[in-house]
Amino acid sequence: MERDHPIADLLRERILIIDGAMGTMVQRYHLQEADYRGERYLDHPIDLLNNNDVLVFTRPDIIEEIHSQYLDAGADIIETNTFNANAISMADYELEADVREMNIAAVTVARRAVDKAMLRDPSRPRFVAGAIGPLNRTLSMSGDPEDPGFRKVTFDQVFAAYYEQVTALVEAGVDLLLAETTFDTLN
């Protein structure tokens, strides 16, 4: 007989609380281009300001601190900082090659925050959700009003991008996946 995940067991007992928005929490730090670049992207040819997903490489301390704030506030589940960590969204920054590592690093940072919270209070299990956000390209709508059939991305490209992200999140050890804020039902 297959055993339920501990989340399923807990949901039979009570409502689990998930963290809040990562992006608005990052904004509180008033980060500059240098924070997003760090040493890793010092010579990168494209500005990275507001690419919050790269912060798992360049400012993991801030991302872990945000996770810890949510855990300290009572969250049972925290989301990885991977809202746009897919090849289609990262193409705008020429960071497609970093997507797998980015997702794994995000799980590592989130898991570290959860492990620390569990050390402080082992009586309350906490979990990591792999966040899968919307793409910056849409399959359902044309980006060209003159050509309603035009798409900037194909279904196969969307499938491949999400598959790469989900595979990395699962292999890195998330407890669940969370598809969020997707405005295109076909995506």
Side-chain angles (χ1 to χ4, degrees), residues 98-174:
D98 293 355
V99 166
R100 179 175 170 71
E101 184 185 359
M102 187 180 292
N103 280 279
I104 291 168
V107 175
T108 301
V109 172
R111 182 66 61 199
R112 189 167 48 238
V114 163
D115 290 347
K116 288 178 182 177
M118 293 290 294
L119 280 174
R120 289 190 303 274
D121 182 5
S123 70
R124 278 194 47 238
R126 277 96 159 188
F127 306 96
V128 175
I132 306 160
L135 302 176
N136 57 3
R137 307 278 189 279
T138 178
L139 285 170
S140 294
M141 298 174 284
S142 172
D144 181 355
E146 302 298 320
D147 183 0
F150 173 76
R151 300 296 184 268
K152 292 183 179 181
V153 66
T154 68
F155 182 85
D156 289 343
Q157 290 169 320
V158 169
F159 178 86
Y162 279 136
Y163 186 85
E164 177 185 31
Q165 182 180 26
V166 168
T167 300
L169 290 168
V170 170
E171 288 176 2
V174 296

XYZ file of all heavy atoms in Angstrom, residues 98-174:
590
model
N 21.190 28.498 -17.678
C 21.284 28.446 -16.222
C 20.013 27.951 -15.540
O 19.961 27.831 -14.316
C 21.622 29.833 -15.664
C 23.009 30.296 -16.046
O 23.763 29.514 -16.665
O 23.355 31.445 -15.728
N 18.979 27.669 -16.311
C 17.656 27.372 -15.750
C 17.665 26.156 -14.827
O 17.129 26.216 -13.720
C 16.612 27.219 -16.874
C 15.332 26.576 -16.360
C 16.317 28.563 -17.497
N 18.234 25.072 -15.243
C 18.250 23.871 -14.398
C 18.941 24.157 -13.067
O 18.394 23.899 -11.999
C 18.933 22.712 -15.129
C 19.009 21.457 -14.290
C 19.574 20.260 -15.063
N 19.837 19.154 -14.186
C 18.930 18.399 -13.599
N 17.649 18.643 -13.789
N 19.265 17.418 -12.806
N 20.127 24.718 -13.141
C 20.891 25.030 -11.931
C 20.151 26.049 -11.064
O 20.186 25.975 -9.835
C 22.269 25.553 -12.332
C 23.182 25.826 -11.154
C 24.506 26.450 -11.560
O 24.755 26.660 -12.762
O 25.292 26.737 -10.647
N 19.466 26.995 -11.693
C 18.710 28.026 -10.976
C 17.600 27.389 -10.134
O 17.399 27.750 -8.966
C 18.124 29.000 -12.000
C 17.447 30.212 -11.442
S 16.819 31.266 -12.797
C 18.351 31.843 -13.524
N 16.877 26.446 -10.716
C 15.806 25.766 -9.989
C 16.365 24.938 -8.838
O 15.807 24.940 -7.736
C 14.988 24.908 -10.950
C 13.996 25.738 -11.733
O 12.931 26.064 -11.245
N 14.366 26.112 -12.955
N 17.457 24.247 -9.079
C 18.068 23.434 -8.028
C 18.566 24.329 -6.897
O 18.340 24.029 -5.712
C 19.200 22.562 -8.618
C 18.585 21.489 -9.531
C 20.047 21.943 -7.519
C 19.594 20.745 -10.387
N 19.201 25.452 -7.243
C 19.688 26.381 -6.216
C 18.532 26.950 -5.397
O 18.633 27.101 -4.176
C 20.489 27.504 -6.869
N 17.424 27.235 -6.066
C 16.259 27.778 -5.357
C 15.697 26.777 -4.354
O 15.309 27.150 -3.240
C 15.183 28.197 -6.356
N 15.655 25.512 -4.739
C 15.193 24.477 -3.804
C 16.169 24.373 -2.633
O 15.746 24.263 -1.473
C 15.030 23.109 -4.509
C 14.671 22.019 -3.498
C 13.968 23.190 -5.600
N 17.440 24.433 -2.914
C 18.456 24.351 -1.857
C 18.284 25.475 -0.845
O 18.330 25.241 0.373
C 19.873 24.390 -2.474
O 20.000 23.287 -3.380
C 20.946 24.318 -1.417
N 18.077 26.691 -1.325
C 17.892 27.843 -0.427
C 16.623 27.672 0.404
O 16.628 27.880 1.623
C 17.857 29.165 -1.228
C 17.470 30.339 -0.341
C 19.214 29.426 -1.886
N 15.530 27.285 -0.237
C 14.262 27.097 0.481
C 14.370 25.962 1.489
O 13.909 26.080 2.632
C 13.129 26.820 -0.510
N 14.987 24.875 1.094
C 15.132 23.721 1.986
C 15.980 24.099 3.204
O 15.697 23.688 4.325
C 15.743 22.544 1.213
C 15.915 21.278 2.001
C 14.611 20.629 2.432
N 13.803 20.263 1.296
C 12.499 20.024 1.379
N 11.861 20.095 2.527
N 11.811 19.690 0.312
N 17.015 24.910 2.982
C 17.860 25.363 4.099
C 17.028 26.162 5.118
O 17.144 25.961 6.321
C 19.033 26.187 3.559
C 20.077 26.509 4.586
C 21.374 27.060 3.982
N 21.178 28.124 3.014
C 21.601 28.077 1.751
N 22.241 27.017 1.291
N 21.393 29.100 0.941
N 16.166 27.042 4.622
C 15.301 27.819 5.522
C 14.339 26.901 6.271
O 14.122 27.072 7.478
C 14.530 28.868 4.727
N 13.771 25.924 5.578
C 12.856 24.969 6.216
C 13.597 24.146 7.265
O 13.098 23.949 8.380
C 12.193 24.060 5.156
C 11.574 22.821 5.791
C 11.133 24.839 4.394
N 14.777 23.672 6.932
C 15.546 22.865 7.886
C 15.868 23.651 9.154
O 15.769 23.120 10.263
C 16.841 22.354 7.243
C 16.585 21.292 6.182
O 15.447 20.768 6.104
O 17.531 20.992 5.415
N 16.207 24.917 9.003
C 16.495 25.758 10.173
C 15.232 25.954 11.017
O 15.297 25.907 12.254
C 17.071 27.096 9.744
C 18.497 27.000 9.235
C 19.015 28.350 8.764
C 20.429 28.227 8.211
N 20.930 29.518 7.685
N 14.106 26.168 10.357
C 12.841 26.327 11.088
C 12.480 25.043 11.828
O 11.997 25.082 12.958
C 11.722 26.727 10.127
N 12.738 23.919 11.188
C 12.438 22.627 11.817
C 13.352 22.367 13.018
O 12.922 21.745 13.992
C 12.574 21.495 10.799
C 11.524 21.535 9.690
S 9.876 21.144 10.271
C 10.100 19.441 10.724
N 14.564 22.847 12.969
C 15.462 22.714 14.123
C 14.937 23.528 15.304
O 15.025 23.095 16.452
C 16.884 23.158 13.768
C 17.723 22.152 13.017
C 19.064 22.764 12.602
C 17.962 20.900 13.857
N 14.407 24.727 15.001
C 13.867 25.574 16.063
C 12.590 24.990 16.657
O 12.329 25.132 17.848
C 13.608 26.987 15.541
C 14.861 27.785 15.273
C 14.575 29.257 14.995
N 13.679 29.501 13.885
C 14.043 29.585 12.605
N 15.304 29.432 12.274
N 13.148 29.819 11.666
N 11.763 24.373 15.807
C 10.490 23.802 16.260
C 10.166 22.552 15.449
O 9.444 22.616 14.449
C 9.370 24.831 16.127
C 8.030 24.302 16.621
O 7.976 23.161 17.156
O 7.032 25.025 16.470
N 10.686 21.407 15.880
C 10.452 20.174 15.129
C 9.014 19.647 15.224
O 8.648 18.724 14.500
C 11.439 19.183 15.751
C 11.824 19.754 17.059
C 11.588 21.230 16.999
N 8.194 20.241 16.066
C 6.815 19.764 16.220
C 5.926 20.167 15.039
O 4.859 19.602 14.874
C 6.220 20.288 17.526
O 6.003 21.688 17.446
N 6.356 21.165 14.256
C 5.559 21.629 13.110
C 6.284 21.326 11.813
O 7.238 22.003 11.461
C 5.340 23.144 13.198
C 4.210 23.526 14.115
C 3.757 24.972 13.958
N 3.561 25.358 12.577
C 4.207 26.371 12.000
N 5.089 27.077 12.662
N 3.959 26.679 10.744
N 5.845 20.350 11.066
C 6.474 20.078 9.771
C 6.280 21.249 8.816
O 5.236 21.898 8.829
C 5.739 18.847 9.250
C 4.990 18.300 10.404
C 4.770 19.416 11.369
N 7.306 21.534 8.031
C 7.225 22.563 6.990
C 7.675 21.956 5.674
O 8.440 21.008 5.647
C 8.109 23.762 7.321
C 7.465 24.767 8.263
C 7.857 24.529 9.566
N 7.780 25.526 10.592
C 8.318 25.240 11.745
N 8.967 24.119 11.920
N 8.221 26.080 12.721
N 7.232 22.568 4.577
C 7.433 21.983 3.267
C 7.870 23.027 2.245
O 7.634 24.220 2.433
C 6.138 21.311 2.805
C 5.600 20.327 3.796
C 4.615 20.701 4.697
C 6.102 19.035 3.854
C 4.119 19.801 5.634
C 5.614 18.126 4.779
C 4.633 18.510 5.676
N 8.442 22.528 1.159
C 8.881 23.386 0.061
C 8.041 23.074 -1.177
O 7.963 21.925 -1.603
C 10.378 23.165 -0.255
C 10.796 23.967 -1.485
C 11.248 23.524 0.948
N 7.437 24.122 -1.722
C 6.668 24.006 -2.965
C 7.505 24.569 -4.107
O 8.050 25.673 -4.003
C 5.353 24.783 -2.854
N 7.597 23.827 -5.172
C 8.289 24.317 -6.366
C 7.369 25.244 -7.134
O 6.367 24.805 -7.685
N 7.686 26.532 -7.148
C 6.842 27.532 -7.802
C 7.087 27.542 -9.305
O 8.217 27.648 -9.764
C 7.114 28.914 -7.223
N 6.010 27.426 -10.047
C 6.040 27.462 -11.497
C 5.129 28.602 -11.920
O 3.911 28.522 -11.780
C 5.539 26.138 -12.098
C 6.312 24.963 -11.510
C 5.605 26.167 -13.610
C 5.608 23.649 -11.666
N 5.716 29.672 -12.394
C 4.940 30.849 -12.737
C 4.547 30.893 -14.191
O 4.802 29.959 -14.962
N 3.943 32.005 -14.578
C 3.521 32.158 -15.971
C 4.741 32.391 -16.859
O 5.820 32.713 -16.379
C 2.647 33.409 -15.928
C 3.240 34.216 -14.827
C 3.694 33.202 -13.791
N 4.571 32.231 -18.111
C 5.624 32.579 -19.065
C 5.414 34.017 -19.517
O 4.333 34.581 -19.357
C 5.554 31.651 -20.283
C 5.665 30.162 -20.012
C 5.483 29.385 -21.303
C 7.002 29.833 -19.371
N 6.426 34.580 -20.104
C 6.269 35.911 -20.689
C 5.875 35.825 -22.163
O 5.969 36.795 -22.894
C 7.544 36.735 -20.508
C 8.759 36.054 -21.095
O 8.672 34.986 -21.694
N 9.905 36.673 -20.921
N 5.430 34.659 -22.582
C 4.908 34.406 -23.926
C 3.589 33.646 -23.750
O 3.429 32.903 -22.796
C 5.853 33.545 -24.765
C 7.271 34.028 -24.853
C 7.452 35.113 -25.910
N 8.841 35.434 -26.155
C 9.579 36.243 -25.397
N 9.071 36.772 -24.311
N 10.823 36.521 -25.724
N 2.687 33.834 -24.683
C 1.381 33.204 -24.560
C 1.071 32.334 -25.776
O 1.439 32.676 -26.894
C 0.266 34.253 -24.358
O -0.988 33.596 -24.298
C 0.247 35.299 -25.435
N 0.407 31.228 -25.529
C -0.030 30.342 -26.613
C -1.443 30.675 -27.086
O -1.794 30.378 -28.223
C 0.003 28.886 -26.147
C 1.381 28.246 -26.051
C 1.291 26.892 -25.356
C 2.010 28.105 -27.418
N -2.251 31.267 -26.231
C -3.664 31.485 -26.555
C -3.928 32.754 -27.358
O -4.931 32.855 -28.036
C -4.494 31.556 -25.275
O -4.485 30.312 -24.638
N -3.033 33.719 -27.241
C -3.283 35.010 -27.884
C -2.111 35.400 -28.775
O -0.955 35.113 -28.469
C -3.487 36.086 -26.826
C -4.678 35.830 -25.927
S -4.805 37.022 -24.585
C -3.523 36.432 -23.491
N -2.426 36.097 -29.827
C -1.404 36.603 -30.727
C -0.792 37.868 -30.143
O -1.483 38.675 -29.524
C -2.011 36.923 -32.091
O -1.076 37.582 -32.913
N 0.480 38.043 -30.358
C 1.130 39.292 -29.975
C 1.096 40.303 -31.100
O 1.629 41.404 -30.980
N 0.444 39.950 -32.202
C 0.381 40.805 -33.378
C -1.075 40.993 -33.779
O -1.710 40.074 -34.297
C 1.169 40.153 -34.520
C 1.180 40.990 -35.786
O 0.498 42.036 -35.829
O 1.866 40.584 -36.733
N -1.634 42.184 -33.571
C -3.050 42.401 -33.899
C -3.353 42.250 -35.391
O -4.493 42.010 -35.771
C -3.323 43.831 -33.437
C -2.007 44.437 -33.133
C -1.009 43.344 -32.977
N -2.342 42.338 -36.224
C -2.535 42.171 -37.660
C -2.568 40.702 -38.077
O -2.979 40.378 -39.194
C -1.418 42.893 -38.435
C -1.323 44.380 -38.153
C -2.575 45.139 -38.546
O -3.149 44.831 -39.613
O -2.997 46.020 -37.772
N -2.102 39.820 -37.175
C -2.034 38.385 -37.496
C -2.509 37.578 -36.284
O -1.710 37.181 -35.436
C -0.597 38.007 -37.865
C -0.464 36.544 -38.280
O -1.489 35.819 -38.287
O 0.669 36.128 -38.589
N -3.816 37.335 -36.171
C -4.357 36.638 -34.997
C -3.802 35.236 -34.782
O -3.852 34.709 -33.682
C -5.861 36.575 -35.266
C -6.126 37.477 -36.393
C -4.844 37.714 -37.118
N -3.254 34.619 -35.806
C -2.702 33.271 -35.673
C -1.238 33.253 -35.257
O -0.687 32.199 -34.952
N -0.599 34.417 -35.183
C 0.821 34.496 -34.849
C 1.054 34.186 -33.371
O 0.316 34.623 -32.502
C 1.362 35.893 -35.155
C 2.769 36.096 -34.682
C 3.839 35.543 -35.373
C 3.030 36.822 -33.529
C 5.139 35.711 -34.935
C 4.329 36.991 -33.078
C 5.386 36.440 -33.786
N 2.084 33.411 -33.100
C 2.514 33.130 -31.727
C 4.028 33.291 -31.654
O 4.743 32.914 -32.583
C 2.144 31.704 -31.302
C 0.663 31.389 -31.335
C -0.116 32.240 -30.337
N -1.518 31.898 -30.286
C -2.470 32.476 -31.018
N -2.179 33.406 -31.885
N -3.726 32.116 -30.888
N 4.513 33.833 -30.553
C 5.951 33.991 -30.351
C 6.595 32.722 -29.823
O 7.806 32.659 -29.677
C 6.231 35.142 -29.375
C 5.896 36.500 -29.918
C 6.264 37.585 -28.930
C 5.954 38.955 -29.505
N 6.324 40.018 -28.571
N 5.764 31.734 -29.507
C 6.265 30.494 -28.920
C 5.363 29.350 -29.376
O 4.180 29.560 -29.651
C 6.306 30.614 -27.370
C 4.923 30.727 -26.774
C 7.100 29.505 -26.737
N 5.930 28.160 -29.455
C 5.130 26.994 -29.842
C 4.758 26.178 -28.611
O 5.385 26.299 -27.552
C 5.916 26.081 -30.807
O 7.012 25.491 -30.090
C 6.414 26.843 -32.019
N 3.772 25.323 -28.787
C 3.376 24.436 -27.696
C 4.554 23.572 -27.262
O 4.781 23.372 -26.064
C 2.196 23.560 -28.112
C 1.725 22.654 -27.009
C 0.818 23.106 -26.062
C 2.208 21.357 -26.894
C 0.396 22.289 -25.024
C 1.790 20.524 -25.861
C 0.885 20.998 -24.925
N 5.319 23.056 -28.223
C 6.467 22.207 -27.898
C 7.525 22.970 -27.095
O 8.144 22.405 -26.186
C 7.092 21.619 -29.166
C 6.205 20.552 -29.802
O 5.293 20.034 -29.119
O 6.438 20.239 -30.990
N 7.721 24.243 -27.397
C 8.674 25.046 -26.638
C 8.179 25.266 -25.201
O 8.963 25.204 -24.252
C 8.909 26.395 -27.321
C 9.684 26.296 -28.609
C 9.656 27.598 -29.392
O 8.638 28.288 -29.478
N 10.805 27.926 -29.993
N 6.899 25.522 -25.056
C 6.322 25.698 -23.721
C 6.442 24.399 -22.927
O 6.863 24.399 -21.766
C 4.853 26.167 -23.806
C 4.157 26.091 -22.454
C 4.785 27.580 -24.366
N 6.086 23.294 -23.562
C 6.196 21.995 -22.909
C 7.631 21.754 -22.453
O 7.873 21.363 -21.316
C 5.743 20.880 -23.856
C 5.882 19.502 -23.258
C 4.875 18.974 -22.478
C 7.045 18.759 -23.452
C 5.009 17.709 -21.903
C 7.190 17.502 -22.887
C 6.175 16.970 -22.111
N 8.598 21.985 -23.323
C 10.010 21.744 -23.001
C 10.485 22.636 -21.855
O 11.214 22.185 -20.962
C 10.882 21.950 -24.237
N 10.054 23.886 -21.862
C 10.480 24.814 -20.806
C 9.929 24.390 -19.449
O 10.661 24.352 -18.454
C 10.025 26.231 -21.142
N 8.645 24.078 -19.409
C 8.057 23.642 -18.140
C 8.609 22.283 -17.714
O 8.843 22.059 -16.522
C 6.535 23.590 -18.225
C 5.862 24.927 -18.055
C 4.820 25.312 -18.885
C 6.240 25.800 -17.039
C 4.176 26.534 -18.716
C 5.609 27.025 -16.869
C 4.577 27.381 -17.705
O 3.951 28.585 -17.533
N 8.824 21.397 -18.654
C 9.368 20.081 -18.329
C 10.756 20.210 -17.690
O 11.039 19.566 -16.682
C 9.434 19.203 -19.581
C 9.856 17.786 -19.281
C 8.906 16.848 -18.884
C 11.188 17.388 -19.366
C 9.281 15.536 -18.596
C 11.567 16.093 -19.078
C 10.612 15.167 -18.689
O 10.987 13.878 -18.386
N 11.597 21.056 -18.270
C 12.935 21.269 -17.709
C 12.846 21.818 -16.284
O 13.539 21.358 -15.384
C 13.734 22.233 -18.591
C 15.114 22.551 -18.035
C 15.858 23.593 -18.845
O 15.211 24.486 -19.446
O 17.099 23.515 -18.876
N 11.985 22.795 -16.079
C 11.844 23.400 -14.756
C 11.310 22.395 -13.751
O 11.866 22.235 -12.656
C 10.934 24.627 -14.817
C 10.804 25.299 -13.451
C 9.916 26.524 -13.476
O 9.026 26.655 -14.324
N 10.155 27.424 -12.546
N 10.225 21.726 -14.087
C 9.602 20.780 -13.160
C 10.554 19.636 -12.824
O 10.666 19.228 -11.666
C 8.266 20.256 -13.728
C 7.752 19.061 -12.943
C 7.229 21.375 -13.758
N 11.251 19.133 -13.822
C 12.201 18.049 -13.588
C 13.269 18.473 -12.582
O 13.583 17.731 -11.645
C 12.856 17.598 -14.915
O 11.827 17.138 -15.784
C 13.845 16.479 -14.683
N 13.821 19.655 -12.761
C 14.851 20.147 -11.837
C 14.283 20.331 -10.426
O 14.929 19.957 -9.433
C 15.439 21.458 -12.351
N 13.091 20.892 -10.322
C 12.479 21.102 -9.000
C 12.243 19.773 -8.285
O 12.546 19.641 -7.094
C 11.153 21.859 -9.148
C 11.243 23.327 -9.570
C 9.873 23.861 -9.965
C 11.871 24.175 -8.465
N 11.711 18.812 -9.007
C 11.419 17.507 -8.404
C 12.710 16.795 -8.015
O 12.832 16.275 -6.900
C 10.559 16.642 -9.351
C 10.460 15.214 -8.860
C 9.166 17.258 -9.488
N 13.677 16.784 -8.912
C 14.949 16.133 -8.607
C 15.661 16.790 -7.429
O 16.358 16.125 -6.670
C 15.853 16.118 -9.842
C 15.376 15.151 -10.902
C 16.204 15.194 -12.179
O 17.196 15.949 -12.252
O 15.847 14.453 -13.113
N 15.465 18.092 -7.270
C 16.102 18.808 -6.151
C 15.384 18.577 -4.824
O 15.911 18.913 -3.771
C 16.180 20.299 -6.457
N 14.158 18.027 -4.876
C 13.514 17.614 -3.644
C 12.358 18.445 -3.127
O 12.103 18.458 -1.922
N 11.604 19.103 -4.016
C 10.416 19.804 -3.521
C 9.391 18.794 -3.023
O 9.387 17.635 -3.438
C 9.783 20.721 -4.600
C 10.734 21.838 -4.986
C 9.320 19.942 -5.799
